[in-house]
Each structure stands twice: as C-alpha cells, then as structure tokens.
Amino acid sequence: SDGKLVYNINEKSDLKIYDQLNNDQFVNDIVSSYIGKKVKPSSSIVELKYGKDKIDESISEHTDDWQYRVKAFFILEDVEIDNAPMRYFLNTHKNHEWKRNHDYMTWAFSATPLTPYLFRKIVDQNNIIEKICTAKAGSLILADTRGFHGGSILKTGRRIQLISIYNPSEKKRF
C-alpha cells in the first residue's frame, strides 16, 4: 500500500457532497474568472493520506496537464509540515521557454522529458520559489496544476481533503 486512499465523489453515490462541491458559487466564480469562462468542477474526490513514510505517485514534481487544470483543495484538518503538504513551484504554470518541450511531450505522448534532476536544475537556474502549502482546517487552496507541484511524505497523523478538479477545454497550442 502507498498509504493513500482516493474516493471519487459522484452524484449517484454522494449526492449531498457532490451537489455542494459542484455548485459552490464562490469557488466556481473565482475559477471561472481565472480561466476566462464559466466552469464547474469536472470531478471531485476525497483524498486521505494515512501511511507514514510512504511514497505515492504524487511525491515527485509534476504537472497535471498542458492545458488548464485548476484544483480547489478544501482543507478538512490542519496540514502542518509533517502532514504531507503539497509543494507548488510558483509561476511554473506560465508558458516559459524551458517548459515548451515538457508541454508538447505531455500533449503528444503523455510523457515528459524533464527528469527530477533536470527540473531541480531549472528551479535553481530560474530562481523558482517552492511554496510549501501548509494550511488550517477550513482553508481553501486554489492551484493551477499546469504548474509544477508535488506531494510530500507524511511523517505524523494524516491528511484529509476534498478536491474539486476543473478541467475545461482550451485551444491547442501545438
């Protein structure tokens, strides 16, 4: 086990939670304003990280897509440094020269030419800031996951959050 449980929320199994997440006007308006058109979540999940010192697929630095994918993280319990906070690399969602090969390979082949070692070199060369996303229960974290991000290893307790995923279509760049 990788110490992580992900449960898909849908209208058939969890109508009340699904309805609240899908129709959260406050969050939908913010994400719509950022993207430039009216959107609602394309999916929602509950994510529980419970396995101490376990490595899962989200640990390494990655992007979710070459096109818009915004995630709204509803923090249900305090997330401190030892509770596996997300790491986000500021401004990496933008169309940088160093990122074009990565975006193209992601679009064309669902692969990336950027190894973790190469990405760390890019971070250093471009003075990219890594933000550790600790938060209090009740917080909302919005992230454009075209940008590089990654998880971290759970050291104590657990991390539980609701995540709404906005994945609207975007004009192809390639």
Side-chain angles (χ1 to χ4, degrees):
S1 163
D2 63 5
K4 184 172 153 181
L5 177 67
V6 176
Y7 177 76
N8 289 312
I9 299 170
N10 59 57
E11 57 192 325
K12 292 181 180 158
S13 61
D14 301 285
L15 187 56
K16 189 173 181 178
I17 295 172
Y18 173 83
D19 191 51
Q20 286 179 315
L21 293 173
N22 200 49
N23 295 308
D24 187 320
Q25 200 59 50
F26 176 78
V27 178
N28 290 347
D29 284 349
I30 290 172
V31 176
S32 294
S33 175
Y34 177 71
I35 291 173
K37 65 180 176 181
K38 196 150 188 67
V39 294
K40 285 189 171 192
S42 54
S43 62
S44 297
I45 61 173
V46 177
E47 183 184 77
L48 170 64
K49 194 156 188 177
Y50 62 89
K52 294 181 183 111
D53 297 318
K54 300 279 186 169
I55 295 176
D56 62 60
E57 79 283 348
S58 67
I59 293 291
S60 65
E61 294 86 4
H62 65 280
T63 63
D64 288 349
D65 212 326
W66 61 270
Q67 61 185 349
Y68 278 119
R69 183 171 299 172
V70 175
K71 289 185 179 177
F73 297 86
F74 299 90
I75 307 302
L76 300 179
E77 297 177 345
D78 290 356
V79 177
E80 302 295 335
I81 196 72
D82 288 340
N83 303 118
M86 176 177 71
R87 300 169 299 117
Y88 191 88
F89 294 84
L90 300 181
N91 296 312
T92 59
H93 67 288
K94 296 179 180 176
N95 194 16
H96 298 284
E97 186 68 34
W98 61 262
K99 194 175 172 214
R100 289 199 179 125
N101 263 354
H102 166 78
D103 285 347
Y104 174 75
M105 295 295 283
T106 302
W107 168 76
F109 304 107
S110 298
T112 178
L114 292 180
T115 63
Y117 172 77
L118 182 56
F119 179 70
R120 282 296 171 175
K121 283 182 74 173
I122 291 167
V123 166
D124 292 342
Q125 291 168 353
N126 293 279
N127 298 314
I128 295 171
I129 297 169
E130 179 180 11
K131 177 74 175 164
I132 308 296
C133 301
T134 57
K136 295 291 183 190
S139 296
L140 171 66
I141 297 173
L142 295 172
D144 181 340
T145 57
R146 290 177 301 173
F148 279 86
H149 60 286
S152 56
I153 295 175
L154 182 71
K155 295 295 182 186
T156 62
R158 66 181 185 182
R159 185 194 70 210
I160 186 167
Q161 55 195 1
L162 295 173
I163 305 170
S164 287
I165 303 161
Y166 296 79
N167 199 21
S169 297
E170 180 180 346
K171 290 181 184 174
K172 292 185 176 173
R173 290 187 234 169
F174 312 106

